[in-house]
Structures are given as structure tokens and as C-alpha cells.
Amino acid sequence: MKKELSYFTINDEFGGNQDWFTNVVMHIGGCAAATACDSCIYFARQFKMEKLYPFDAWNLTKLEYVAFSQKMKPYLRPRIHGVNKLWMFTEGFGKYLHDVGVPFLKMEEFSGERSFEEAREFIREKIDQDIPVPYLMLNHKNRKEFEDFIWHWFLAVGYEEQESAADGRFLIRTATYGEETWLDLEKLWDTKEGQRGGLIGYKIA
């Protein structure tokens, strides 16, 4: 089974791109803000929550996306160790949702300490509801394979359950740095590290 969300492009890139940020601290540590920005654009387009994005969500430009990131910066500001806790995202983005008048978009935190099987079901359920899933990964034992995802926020915007495969792999489609990447969730989730990050579940109340 395979499910892919109807995602957007900007300048032919898959979603927004943190590398576009001209502000130095945002360029280095603005992944949480970028994840929130992409979430806003997605909900503005797919759920008609126009208040979330201050520009035209159907005519996206790199210039306006960068300007939007600066609006999001005070809510999810980069800090020494990054936005490295789930509550930092839900608290910061929650304030943005309140300020723009969209309090009915709620969030729940899903700890990285929970099992792979639970994470798989959580992501599958949200994607089946056409809802993207913010994912925070901190350290990982396999730094080479997941180099671009270490200490990083990104979005899960699809999944593929390979039931016919011998190992029954569950892949997730991710959006970050303006690119689409498919990752094996079980390998990604099993970080073998003390700090594990986790997921955010959006819910429309």
C-alpha cells in the first residue's frame, strides 16, 4: 500500500528549503521554522486555512517563503542546541496558531521513546487523514546514511508499506531542503541514541 500527500513545489523544489534563508542563524538552525512554514502552506492549500500563510498559497515564490520564515522565526527561534524538544515546537507553533486565529489546529507529541510499531501506526493514521507529520530526529548511530536528517526537523508526507517484500519494510516520504526522500522508518526510528526526538501529530478540532 502506498499513500502520498498532494505536496507543493516552490521554484521546482519539493516544498520549502532552509538553504534559502539569508539570515545566518536561520540558515544554520531554522529547520523547525521551515517545518512549520511548510505545514502552514500545506494546510492553507489543502484545508483552506488561509490565515496560516500571509501570501498566496497557490502562487508560491522563494522570496515570499523566505519572508514568511522571518515571521515564523520569533516563534521557533534557533538556539544553541536547536529546537530539540517536542514541547518547544508545540509551544512555539501553538503561539503562532493562536496569533493568526487558527486555534482549531491542535498538536500532540509522540515521543521517540515509543516503539517503531507505534510510530508506524501513528504516521500511517495521520497520512491516511491527509495530514503531514513533523518529525524530529536528534542523534543516530548511522550518521553516514542519515547525515542530512541528524539533529533536524522535517516532514513525513507519505508512506509505502511493502507488504510483498521479505522484510515488510515501511518507507516514509520526507520533505526537507527542497527535496523528496524515501526513508526506511524502522532504520530511522532505531537511533540507538539516548536523545530520540519524536513526532508531532496535527489534529483539526
Side-chain angles (χ1 to χ4, degrees), residues 139-158:
N139 287 318
H140 198 285
K141 62 175 181 178
N142 193 338
R143 296 190 65 86
K144 184 176 181 180
E145 183 174 359
F146 300 117
E147 179 180 4
D148 291 337
F149 296 87
I150 289 175
W151 218 267
H152 190 57
W153 282 94
F154 54 95
L155 278 174
V157 296

Side-chain angles (χ1 to χ4, degrees), residues 161-170 184 186:
E161 192 162 18
Q162 300 180 331
E163 297 174 349
S164 60
D167 56 1
R169 294 196 304 163
F170 187 88
D184 185 317
E186 187 168 15

Side-chain angles (χ1 to χ4, degrees), residues 20-35:
W20 295 340
F21 298 163
T22 53
N23 180 275
V24 175
V25 294
M26 285 290 281
H27 185 85
I28 297 171
C31 57
T35 298

Side-chain angles (χ1 to χ4, degrees), residues 90-124:
T90 56
E91 182 180 278
F93 191 38
K95 288 180 180 177
Y96 176 80
L97 296 176
H98 174 269
D99 288 351
V100 298
V102 187
F104 48 85
L105 182 58
K106 306 294 186 181
M107 290 175 282
E108 62 177 310
E109 299 169 9
F110 184 98
S111 172
E113 297 294 328
R114 296 175 67 173
S115 70
F116 154 69
E117 289 78 13
E118 290 175 297
R120 179 185 59 197
E121 294 307 310
F122 186 85
I123 291 174
R124 181 195 286 122

Side-chain angles (χ1 to χ4, degrees), residues 3 14 57 63 66 69 84 93 102 114 126 132 156 159 195 199:
K3 168 90 175 189
F14 192 71
L63 187 64
V66 173
S69 74
N84 64 341
F93 191 38
V102 187
R114 296 175 67 173
K126 293 299 178 183
Y159 71 82
Q195 294 179 296
L199 309 170

Side-chain angles (χ1 to χ4, degrees), residues 8-11 15 41-42 45 53 55-65:
F8 59 91
T9 60
I10 306 176
N11 287 28
I41 293 171
Y42 179 86
R45 289 165 63 99
Y53 186 61
F55 305 105
D56 184 351
W58 292 99
N59 292 284
L60 300 166
T61 69
K62 176 180 175 180
L63 187 64
E64 290 177 344
Y65 183 85

